[in-house]
Structures are given as structure tokens and as C-alpha cells.
């Protein structure tokens, strides 16, 4: 994890952070159908490994009472079971997120946020569509108390608009 922070004059600042990650799990737990009763599942140790690696970059810029944040994550995740390597399911390869906030220090923070997720592999082998979501946030500080309100996904993006959640 490497970071850089700098003031740009009296009313501006810049933060940049770069992270690199790697995870390795030998014989990870996986959820499997028992085969005895349909729909009854339990966890078993898989014969193999799960690996993930990637990078995360974020950029934060402040100008007077406005703050802009943007972050990008790249993830490469795989399972290797019984000698066969496959992409890890339900893990977006690309993710983008950010906020634009107006802040009066010690009083108010008001802003909008966004998030992008690339398509994700399903266990059926199909890939979900990529999607964007948007939200809003408001925060009010009154002495030692903070009131916080958050509206997530006000554009109502959800998988059921593309396809059923059930597979047969």
C-alpha cells in the first residue's frame, strides 16, 4: 500500500493511494448440495486452491468545500479444483466507485455517490450484465451527535430486471 498526500495552496488537497493484493487459500471451503435431499447444502473443503490478486487505486481531490473521490479495483480470482482452473464466480473483474461531496466542516456533508461493477460469472457459466448504481448521502453534526442519512441505489438497478434469480 503506497500513499501520497499533498496540500495545494490553502484551499486544495490531493490524496492518491495504490494498493496491490494477493490471497491464496489451500483446500478452501465450498458450498455443496448434499445429494441426499435436493436443496440441502453444507460446506466441504475443496480439493485444490483459490487465488486472487489485483490492484486498487484511489484518488481524492478537495477544492474549498467540495471533495471528489474516485476508486478503481481490478481483481483476478480463480479456483483450481482437481487440476482444472476456472474464474471465481460472483466476483467482478472491474469495479469503479466514487463520491462528490459538499462539506461544511463540523456541520454538514451532502453528496452523491456512484458505483460500477463489470459482469460476473455465474455458476451456470453465464455472465451477468455490467451495471451502474447511484446514491445520495447527507450528514449533519450537532455538537457531539452526528445524524446520517443514506439512499442507496435510487436508480433501482437489480438483477431481476435482467433475469430471474432462480435457475432451473
Amino acid at each position: 500500500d503506497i500513499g501520497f498526500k499533498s496540500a495545494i495552496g490553502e484551499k486544495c488537497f490531493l490524496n492518491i493511494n495504490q494498493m496491490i493484493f494477493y490471497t491464496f487459500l489451500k483446500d478452501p471451503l465450498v458450498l455443496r448440495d448434499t445429494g441426499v435431499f435436493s436443496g440441502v447444502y453444507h460446506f466441504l473443503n475443496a480439493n485444490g486452491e483459490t487465488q486472487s490478486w489485483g490492484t486498487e487505486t484511489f484518488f481524492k481531490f478537495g477544492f474549498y468545500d467540495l471533495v471528489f473521490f474516485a476508486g478503481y479495483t481490478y481483481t483476478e480470482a480463480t479456483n483450481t479444483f482437481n487440476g482444472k482452473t476456472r474464474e471465481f464466480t460472483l466476483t467482478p473483474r472491474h469495479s469503479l466507485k466514487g463520491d462528490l461531496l459538499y462539506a461544511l466542516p463540523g456541520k454538514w456533508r451532502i453528496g452523491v455517490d456512484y458505483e460500477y461493477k463489470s459482469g460476473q460469472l455465474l455458476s451456470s457459466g453465464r455472465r451477468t450484465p455490467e451495471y451502474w448504481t447511484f446514491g445520495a448521502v447527507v450528514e449533519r453534526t450537532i455538537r457531539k451527535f452526528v445524524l446520517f442519512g443514506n439512499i442507496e441505489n435510487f436508480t433501482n438497478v437489480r438483477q431481476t430486471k435482467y433475469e430471474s434469480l432462480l435457475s432451473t
Side-chain angles (χ1 to χ4, degrees), residues 30-36 39-45:
V30 293
L31 187 63
R32 296 282 187 235
D33 191 329
T34 61
V36 177
V40 177
Y41 293 87
H42 64 274
F43 287 100
L44 294 172
N45 287 94

Side-chain angles (χ1 to χ4, degrees), residues 42-118:
H42 64 274
F43 287 100
L44 294 172
N45 287 94
N47 179 22
E49 60 193 44
T50 296
Q51 290 188 75
S52 68
W53 66 271
T55 65
E56 184 168 295
T57 305
F58 88 74
F59 168 84
K60 189 174 182 182
F61 177 72
F63 181 72
Y64 287 85
D65 296 330
L66 292 173
V67 176
F68 173 72
F69 164 82
Y72 170 75
T73 304
Y74 174 83
T75 304
E76 183 78 34
T78 58
N79 285 326
T80 302
F81 298 148
N82 301 317
K84 294 180 183 177
T85 300
R86 285 193 54 182
E87 181 181 342
F88 199 83
T89 57
L90 302 176
T91 304
R93 184 159 292 163
H94 305 281
S95 178
L96 180 67
K97 56 197 156 286
D99 298 301
L100 178 60
L101 294 169
Y102 173 72
L104 288 174
K107 293 185 180 183
W108 286 98
R109 282 186 348 137
I110 301 168
V112 293
D113 59 38
Y114 62 89
E115 188 167 3
Y116 164 80
K117 298 285 185 187
S118 64

